[in-house]
Amino acid sequence: MSFIPDTTTLIQFAIATVILAITPGPDMTLFVSRTLSHGRATGFASMAGALCGTLIHTTLVVVGISALIVASPMSFLALKIFGAGYLVFLAWQAITKGSAFSPEKQSGPEISLFRAWAAGLGVNLLNPKIILFFMTFLPQFVSAHDPNAPGKLFFLGAMFVVLSIPVTAPMVFAAEKFSTAMKASPRVTRAVDYLFAGVFSAFALKILTAQAK
């Protein structure tokens, strides 16, 4: 199977993937916060959306669209503004509609799994840092002169998703257990709402300062 890189490359890529998967980012913040507010299923839906975004980024790298976006100052600026704006919107939601897991709000409307999935997808796709990362990360494991490079890039992108699941899924389970304890403490619950809002805002600032190199 010509689309599978050699063993050494696979091992190196696996190690790098695990390290990157445990590195906090706006997508991780999102699915953990969704788990805290609406339960395990919603958290996993958000995580699935982010992982689907990873596959889309892989495809964009293969066809060269990501390079085109970064090469165009206006396109890159627009992406930064939309991405940062989306994270600010999530921060606003955390403050104004947070504490959905507090006892007095359990009867409120639930977020559909599709909306949770779409939120995860949006956070991933609108993050220019992820585009820059995949543009510089994936090509390191495939030679530009390899005729099977596109297939290998797709394989590594899928491998990134598969290896990320066992690393990130435990965070959803842990967040669900944590939410049970938080239901008994409204003040702590509200503090976590502001914490997530602050984290989303911080990532929005990082996105706005991303530079195409």
Side-chain angles (χ1 to χ4, degrees):
M1 291 181 283
S2 58
F3 62 88
I4 300 179
D6 60 82
T7 303
T8 301
T9 299
L10 291 177
I11 293 175
Q12 293 174 345
F13 184 81
I15 294 174
T17 296
V18 171
I19 294 174
L20 291 168
I22 62 177
T23 302
D27 48 354
M28 181 186 297
T29 302
L30 177 66
F31 63 70
V32 170
S33 66
R34 285 291 187 261
T35 302
L36 289 174
S37 61
H38 296 286
R40 183 194 304 175
T42 305
F44 276 122
S46 295
M47 187 179 76
L51 293 177
C52 286
T54 297
L55 293 178
I56 293 176
H57 278 300
T58 301
T59 303
L60 293 177
V61 168
V62 173
V63 300
I65 295 179
S66 291
L68 181 62
I69 292 176
V70 176
S72 170
M74 290 303 297
S75 296
F76 192 69
L77 176 62
L79 185 63
K80 289 200 297 183
I81 293 174
F82 277 111
Y86 187 56
L87 289 180
V88 170
F89 169 72
L90 291 176
W92 175 80
Q93 278 198 321
I95 294 176
T96 61
K97 300 181 180 180
S99 304
F101 48 94
S102 59
E104 66 271 16
K105 290 191 177 184
Q106 282 299 306
S107 58
E110 292 292 328
I111 295 178
S112 68
L113 295 182
F114 176 77
R115 284 185 60 191
W117 176 87
L121 181 68
V123 163
N124 190 282
L125 293 182
L126 293 175
N127 188 347
K129 281 185 172 289
I130 295 182
I131 290 182
L132 290 173
F133 164 74
F134 272 90
M135 279 186 61
T136 58
F137 182 66
L138 281 182
Q140 294 183 36
F141 297 89
V142 177
S143 171
H145 304 290
D146 188 341
N148 300 308
K152 289 182 178 180
L153 287 172
F154 276 121
F155 181 86
L156 291 175
M159 181 177 172
F160 186 95
V161 171
V162 172
L163 292 178
S164 296
I165 292 175
V167 176
T168 55
M171 299 178 188
V172 174
F173 288 110
E176 184 181 41
K177 292 183 179 180
F178 183 56
S179 68
T180 300
M182 290 180 64
K183 289 178 182 179
S185 180
R187 289 186 178 181
V188 173
T189 293
R190 197 58 183 149
V192 171
D193 290 334
Y194 279 97
L195 174 62
F196 279 121
V199 172
F200 279 129
S201 298
F203 280 121
L205 181 61
K206 288 185 66 177
I207 284 179
L208 286 175
T209 57
Q211 298 294 322
K213 298 180 180 180

